[in-house]
Amino acid sequence: MSEEVKLHGAWASPLSYRVIWALKLKGIAYEYVEEDLSNKSALLLHYNPIHKKIPVLVHTGKPICESMIIIEYIEEMWPHTPLLPTDPYDRAISRFWIKFVEDKALPILGRMFNTMGGELEKAIKESLEILEIVEEHGLEDNKYFNGETIGMVDIAFGSILYWLGVNEEVLGVKLLEPHKFPRLHEWFQSFQEVPVIKENLPDRDNVVAFFKRRRETLEATAA
Amino acid sequence: MSEEVKLHGVWASPFSYRVIWALKLKGIAYEYVEEDLSNKSALLLHYNPVHKQIPVLVHAGKPICESMIIIEYIEEMWPDTPLLPTDHYKRAIARFWIKFADDKALSVLRRTLYTTGEELEKAIKECLEILEIVEEHGLEDKKYFNGEKIGMVDIAFGSILYWLGVNEEVLGVKLLEPHKFPRLHKWFHSFQEVPVIKENLPNRDNVISFLKGRRETLEASST
């Protein structure tokens, strides 16, 4: 278990941060390798020939791809500080919400980064619907999705909401309003106060600047 | 564990069959409830308020949604006849392919079912690309994705390929050609020979009629 752990990631990627949070929560030592996504390394393409994406976790030389699958692997290899409940039914509910984040929240909220005009308005509307679903069905009365301590669902959703916050600044819109989404808002505040999360976030100004530049490029090419 | 197990499904759905196969492979007794998707029962909407979809497994009164999540729950509650490997790395690889099946293969299958003209041609081309990826990277030299016996990945892909096969008849095209995809073709043949699978398939003619009917409606509405 003490064999080398390497994480290939990208500094501005929410998916990268998910894995960092899981590793840090469990106190697992790892080496971080920054990948340049505009010039992908031969090693990355070797490790992830199908998707050619980060994050990739390499453990004893063997690559694991897809952020939530990486975290599930980490959970099985290092079971202390569990990130999933023990009860099989509760685990099924967690998996349901992880899949919801991956299938719905990630692509729909992600569209706000890549669209303009009418398409952006539609993306915003659909993002609000996603937040409503999670507000109504996801949290119940728990402090975190995982209960009293954060877990995989919190990590999945927390990464999406943090980057939503960045995009809200870039676009000058506000989606996660406390009066509209009281539970989600409170959960997100608590999530960001968890020491491992608080101490492992990208530099806010840098990430806002990065996405501002991307939007400027997008708007320039469309004009 | 002897509490009531109910499966809410639909006779023409690959997702329904995935769960049936898992239950039958493990010899789990269950009651099957056929849902009418054009007139969804209040019970279904209660069990799956977020997606309003089948399949839903109800165990001891508690609903679990999403076919592969249901199977993972079944795997944890009834561990005999395992459908996932025990090795953690192999489990991560299995999860990778389950995600690939549901993110990529399924979406391309849907497009071959629900599009016409140029969009259909594009979907067919993408379908071949997906099959190539699985042919090249997925099976290696194993009899089944899960090794010597079928497991979750086989179930995931098997359901998709069965419905693809039926659609090939409806469209009059052949996609899974043995000379192009020797491994996949051989695997699929073996998969369909597994007794539980062979004895638990929908009536082929009925599915063909059903999909033909849908295609006729689609083509009529697009002219």
Side-chain angles (χ1 to χ4, degrees):
Chain A
M1 225 79 62
S2 60
E3 296 100 334
E4 206 172 54
V5 177
K6 288 191 189 186
L7 170 62
H8 291 246
W11 75 273
S13 162
L15 308 184
S16 226
Y17 272 88
R18 287 172 168 184
V19 182
I20 290 170
W21 294 337
L23 291 165
K24 296 267 184 185
L25 282 163
K26 289 179 182 272
I28 298 162
Y30 67 99
E31 183 192 326
Y32 178 77
V33 179
E34 176 72 19
E35 288 284 344
D36 176 359
L37 297 181
S38 62
N39 185 20
K40 292 175 182 179
S41 69
L43 199 55
L44 177 66
L45 300 178
H46 168 71
Y47 284 147
N48 194 351
I50 291 164
H51 300 301
K52 307 174 176 48
K53 286 188 171 176
I54 58 91
V56 176
L57 191 84
V58 187
H59 184 212
T60 64
K62 297 191 286 191
I64 304 111
C65 309
E66 302 285 347
S67 58
M68 299 314 296
I69 292 174
I70 293 171
I71 298 175
E72 196 142 18
Y73 172 81
I74 290 169
E75 177 72 357
E76 291 190 359
M77 289 298 295
W78 292 271
H80 60 274
T81 313
L83 303 175
L84 277 177
T86 37
D87 176 72
Y89 185 75
D90 294 337
R91 288 159 75 86
I93 298 300
S94 293
R95 293 195 167 106
F96 176 90
W97 287 108
I98 290 164
K99 188 168 169 63
F100 183 86
V101 172
E102 299 298 77
D103 289 358
K104 307 281 179 190
L106 187 57
I108 290 172
L109 272 67
R111 250 176 260 149
M112 285 175 54
F113 283 98
N114 308 323
T115 53
M116 302 179 305
E119 275 191 63
L120 175 58
E121 279 175 44
K122 186 170 173 245
I124 289 171
K125 180 172 171 288
E126 286 174 356
S127 297
L128 286 166
E129 287 165 12
I130 293 297
L131 295 179
E132 268 174 54
I133 291 172
V134 186
E135 174 76 19
E136 192 185 335
H137 298 281
L139 264 168
E140 294 156 8
D141 294 312
N142 296 328
K143 182 173 187 186
Y144 301 110
F145 289 94
N146 199 46
E148 285 302 302
T149 52
I150 65 169
M152 280 180 73
V153 181
D154 303 273
I155 287 171
F157 210 48
S159 60
I160 305 296
L161 285 203
Y162 183 85
W163 263 259
L164 172 67
V166 169
N167 208 19
E168 283 171 331
E169 280 190 54
V170 169
L171 294 172
V173 298
K174 190 79 189 133
L175 276 86
L176 187 61
E177 293 180 281
H179 65 277
K180 274 195 196 171
F181 306 104
R183 282 176 180 160
L184 256 188
H185 191 265
E186 196 187 332
W187 161 78
F188 190 50
Q189 294 302 115
S190 305
F191 176 77
Q192 293 177 92
E193 286 300 309
V194 170
V196 160
I197 306 301
K198 196 167 182 167
E199 293 154 22
N200 291 283
L201 287 169
D203 180 284
R204 183 89 179 192
D205 292 335
N206 284 353
V207 81
V208 170
F210 175 82
F211 284 103
K212 264 194 172 137
R213 275 197 305 277
R214 277 230 307 220
R215 176 147 287 273
E216 279 157 19
T217 310
L218 178 71
E219 285 168 358
T221 50
Chain B
M1 223 82 52
S2 62
E3 294 103 329
E4 206 172 52
V5 177
K6 286 191 190 185
L7 172 62
H8 291 246
V10 153
W11 75 272
S13 160
F15 307 107
S16 230
Y17 272 88
R18 286 172 166 184
V19 182
I20 289 170
W21 294 337
L23 290 165
K24 295 267 184 187
L25 282 162
K26 289 179 183 270
I28 299 162
Y30 67 98
E31 184 191 323
Y32 178 76
V33 179
E34 177 74 19
E35 287 285 342
D36 176 0
L37 295 182
S38 63
N39 186 20
K40 292 175 182 178
S41 69
L43 200 54
L44 178 65
L45 301 178
H46 168 71
Y47 283 148
N48 194 351
V50 174
H51 300 303
K52 307 174 175 52
Q53 287 280 30
I54 58 92
V56 177
L57 192 84
V58 188
H59 183 214
K62 297 192 286 191
I64 305 109
C65 309
E66 301 287 345
S67 58
M68 298 316 294
I69 292 174
I70 291 170
I71 298 175
E72 198 141 17
Y73 172 80
I74 289 169
E75 177 74 356
E76 291 189 359
M77 291 296 296
W78 292 272
D80 43 280
T81 314
L83 304 175
L84 277 178
T86 37
D87 175 80
H88 299 313
Y89 184 74
K90 289 182 179 165
R91 286 161 77 87
I93 299 300
R95 291 194 168 107
F96 176 91
W97 287 108
I98 290 164
K99 188 170 167 64
F100 184 88
D102 279 3
D103 287 357
K104 307 284 179 189
L106 202 52
S107 83
V108 86
L109 170 69
R110 280 203 180 103
R111 268 176 282 138
T112 65
L113 289 168
Y114 301 134
T115 59
T116 54
E118 258 184 61
E119 274 191 69
L120 176 59
E121 277 176 47
K122 188 169 172 241
I124 287 171
K125 182 173 170 285
E126 283 176 37
C127 191
L128 290 166
E129 287 165 11
I130 297 294
L131 293 177
E132 265 175 58
I133 291 173
V134 187
E135 174 75 20
E136 192 186 335
H137 297 279
L139 262 168
E140 292 151 5
D141 293 312
K142 297 175 286 176
K143 183 174 188 188
Y144 301 110
F145 288 95
N146 199 44
E148 285 303 300
K149 293 193 180 158
I150 65 168
M152 280 181 74
V153 181
D154 302 275
I155 288 172
F157 275 120
S159 57
I160 293 169
L161 286 200
Y162 184 84
W163 261 258
L164 180 69
V166 173
N167 202 30
E168 282 172 330
E169 283 191 54
V170 171
L171 294 174
V173 299
K174 191 75 190 138
L175 291 153
L176 187 63
E177 293 180 280
H179 65 276
K180 275 194 196 173
F181 307 105
R183 283 175 179 161
L184 254 187
H185 191 268
K186 187 174 169 196
W187 161 79
F188 188 50
H189 192 79
S190 304
F191 175 78
Q192 292 177 94
E193 286 298 308
V194 170
V196 160
I197 306 300
K198 196 166 181 167
E199 293 155 21
N200 290 282
L201 287 168
N203 179 291
R204 197 171 177 100
D205 292 334
N206 287 355
V207 183
I208 290 172
S209 301
F210 176 76
L211 291 183
K212 264 190 173 144
R214 280 225 297 225
R215 178 148 287 279
E216 277 155 22
T217 310
L218 180 69
E219 284 167 0
S221 59
S222 63
T223 45

